[in-house]
Amino acid sequence: MTWQRYCDYLTGVSSVGLTLDISRMNFTDAWLEEMEPRMQKAFSDMAELERGSVANRDEGRMVGHYWLRAPEIAPLGLGPEIEATLAAVKKFTAGVHAARHYTDVLCIGIGGSALGPMFIADALGHPCTDKLRPWFLDNTDPDGIARVLAQLHGRLERTLTVVISKSGGTPETANGMALVENAYCNCGLDFARHAVAITMHGSILDRKAIAENWKGRFEMFDWIGGRTSEMSAVGLLLAALQGLDIDGLLEGARLVDAATRHPVTRSNPAAMMALMWHAATNGRGERDMVILPYKDRLLLFSRYLQQLIMESLGKRLDLDGKVVEQGIAVYGNKGSTDQHAYVQQLRDGIDNFFVVFIRVLEDGGSRLELSPGVRTGDYLDGFYLGTREALTGNCRQSMTISVPRVDARTAGALIALFERAVGLYANLVNINAYHQPGVQAGKTAATGVLELQAALLAALSDEPQTPAELAAGDSEETAYLVLEHLAANGRVRKTGDSPSASKYSRVPN
Amino acid sequence: MTWQRYCDYLTGVSSVGLTLDISRMNFTDAWLEEMEPRMQKAFSDMAELERGSVANRDEGRMVGHYWLRAPEIAPLGLGPEIEATLAAVKKFTAGVHAARHYTDVLCIGIGGSALGPMFIADALGHPCTDKLRPWFLDNTDPDGIARVLAQLHGRLERTLTVVISKSGGTPETANGMALVENAYCNCGLDFARHAVAITMHGSILDRKAIAENWKGRFEMFDWIGGRTSEMSAVGLLLAALQGLDIDGLLEGARLVDAATRHPVTRSNPAAMMALMWHAATNGRGERDMVILPYKDRLLLFSRYLQQLIMESLGKRLDLDGKVVEQGIAVYGNKGSTDQHAYVQQLRDGIDNFFVVFIRVLEDGGSRLELSPGVRTGDYLDGFYLGTREALTGNCRQSMTISVPRVDARTAGALIALFERAVGLYANLVNINAYHQPGVQAGKTAATGVLELQAALLAALSDEPQTPAELAAGDSEETAYLVLEHLAANGRVRKTGDSPSASKYSRVPN
């Protein structure tokens, strides 16, 4: 019964050895048939997208991540640009490797400019054999930045710094760059001689890199979104510098692309995965997606997918302007580790999730037998099978993506599979997967906070004043919170204990 | 209006500078009053627990993590045991530090024996100043284990290995230990001379450590659960070896314990937090909890809390044996990084969550001004305030825990705050927070898989056979999946392409 269902619905991409097993999800053939016209529309719109339609209508942009691994299908003569950038990445990398000067590479970026590179660096890298050792600054936390820079102390001269920002103006990235530039300068080093920019032509970062004659500049294309930029220069440069197989990465993605643009739903793993997401969440995000790869190297995949899926699907309006408040929450780390953390809840507790297991068939590592015929990898796979079974036993849904091993090809394949599934699912629920309008609100509010901080600092005097007095009409609560932060860092003097009794004055020079 | 609400409901523990702001959560005074009798019952049951009642009834165990930081209140004369273990940790550590032999410490453990130590090691450690460098094996992935061991190559003689397992029989931990022991042996080193066990007296691990005369042995108390063991030897030994301030950790927790066992709901931050969880999730886990600390050092706190909260609350039955399928899903990484990942969905998408922000007032790191009066830490705090405001603007709920800095005291305080909130919340929804009956099902199923594997390996012959033939009555599907794993690792020979056409035979010698 389960065996028949397993065989009936197994799909995959045989050229990369990837399979998708959906037999433990709740759906019927009748429902699949009912969804078929919508899936055909999704295929058709996807084909338009790949032909260069302005699929991200709100931003008036094309959506071109599939072209990155198949430049020959790119429209409008974009193919040569893609090929030129890839060639430039390889040439630059070959030069760096040949010179044998650099030992470390520091990436400064956030969101789509960090999550892909971090995932790939950890999934495919090896600290003992990487050609350059990768480091990341992905925040504007001065303490976090200091901790990374401390580890590069004395090695900055041998550290290449790659600054990644599509717009060139991402504050976290700009701030990280400012501190790093300062650190090079404090060592008597010329930052520009060690710096590489990945950004859109003409951005503020691009202009800085040109003006200062940086060591390298690579283009981020307008038609590539941050969360689908791993196979642009954003992801490829770091991977190549680290010594990873970027051709394999592109090849794996290209093979999955070829298989998943094929408009036959039943044999298309991306389409079947999108349908399962729909079935499990009622097309409204009513269940969370738990990503559970049974392989340490895939630990960061769930963080990568959090962005890809939640930023793509978490939308207020549908394409007709109707309020829909869509999305699917994503979390997870790795198995079997997470079995000792939260699988208790998955098995016994609230049924508000479905699991996407990722199974890796080849064990790698030591073949030591723990007892006759039993190795550590048998336990890992046994725990996967056992947990899958235990979840089914309590009517909890799961599906399984299986790959032969974690290498560049399968990593590219996994990324491409989810990219396609996200695009198809977004079409099924009629939303734009390619913009992120909600991110602006927080940034705008933060800008207001920094303006308020400037006003508060200017309004301080030797006389203690209340937040309300200093705020002069702005939010008293926000003023108080900003003043507390300034006081904690010795930048204003505070008297009074409770929020309502607090007063602030200038710090004497 | 918001300011008044902020002031009215602010609670905290002033001795550690911790505050909890719940003003952006949806609740009314009338609801708080309605809940008050249930909260008083929770306080009363918690007092019983602290006095030594068998609060984990299903396992017939006391629940003693609060005693770890206040041995004087431990019942039944357990105080001296706690003090003796702490003294032993300090003495052992002092000896290791004084000898200046060891440079690295490798922890082998999983779940409650890894998540707390990993969180504290990252939150409080510094790669440049740690007395010993911490490493972790928290899985039975042979490739993952090999990658860690490769980095310790040539340094095993200077690596202390700590094996942590309460029962002593956790397979992932036992397997990791077997490979590590093998690695020491391959270097001509005596593993026992470098090994320390943390386990219950009399466990299989304890007996091994005694028989082989290991370098150290520390007790894991029967009345401490894995997910609340950070302030037992489990967490303290590694932290002490790393050079962290374990007295501060205990002191921070002790101060929060003192404040949060006080049965005045309105001034008790753990009680108010538990009530907010209830208000947001309708006491049934109807919203996920998103943990967003604005500080790189707190990145792993959400993984720690995933276990503490989901394994404690994710329960099928309530204390009366009624099926309730409880729980609260927990995820999150760090701000402002996550603003560039999934905050799009939080702000605009499905309203199925509430956020617990963690704000750290002191910036640390560089004080470099990016523009006059503006530092990187101002952006970090500005992004927190901006995102909080943007969420409120779309009626999304959040609360904020604020601490002055990340140090041993505040880390201990944060752990104690959540431990208490989990205990109180579990009481409000009438479940046992201290057992994990659902974990067994997966383990049992995994054991069955390993038995099936042995049977399959024994049944193989030179003649290709189908999974059904080899399984001899066991699940055909499971047999196929196990055989695929064996085939991928060269341990059986496979013919046929599709699942239904696959046959397997013995690998010729």
Side-chain angles (χ1 to χ4, degrees), chain A residues 6 16-19 294-295 298 358-364 377-378 380-381 384-385 400-406 410, chain B residues 142 480-491 494:
Chain A
Y6 177 89
V16 288
L18 180 149
T19 63
Y294 277 67
K295 189 55 54 178
L298 296 179
I358 301 175
R359 184 189 192 205
V360 179
L361 288 169
E362 294 176 15
D363 293 337
D378 298 336
L380 187 66
D381 201 56
Y384 149 68
L385 289 168
T400 298
I401 298 164
S402 176
V403 291
R405 69 199 69 83
V406 178
T410 55
Chain B
Y480 167 75
L481 293 168
V482 170
L483 288 161
E484 283 297 288
H485 176 242
L486 291 170
N489 290 283
R491 293 156 71 188
K494 176 188 174 181

Side-chain angles (χ1 to χ4, degrees), chain A residues 71-183:
Chain A
E72 71 280 6
I73 66 162
L76 306 169
L78 295 175
E81 278 187 50
I82 297 167
E83 283 165 351
T85 300
L86 177 60
V89 163
K90 289 183 177 177
K91 186 178 170 198
F92 180 86
T93 302
V96 168
H97 290 166
R100 296 177 178 274
H101 174 77
Y102 288 108
T103 55
D104 296 80
V105 52
L106 172 61
C107 291
I108 311 176
I110 192 166
S113 300
L115 292 166
M118 289 167 90
F119 162 53
I120 291 298
D122 188 49
L124 306 182
H126 194 303
C128 301
T129 53
D130 288 345
K131 292 194 175 172
L132 272 72
R133 182 173 184 186
W135 300 85
F136 296 93
L137 293 183
D138 67 347
N139 201 1
T140 180
D141 172 14
D143 174 66
I145 294 170
R147 192 153 66 153
V148 170
L149 286 176
Q151 292 172 80
L152 290 168
H153 186 73
R155 295 220 304 283
L156 276 184
E157 207 259 325
R158 299 198 171 266
T159 301
L160 192 65
T161 291
V162 181
V163 185
I164 311 174
S165 169
K166 184 172 177 181
S167 70
T170 314
E172 290 91 337
T173 305
N175 295 350
M177 178 177 70
L179 295 198
V180 169
E181 186 167 4
N182 186 250

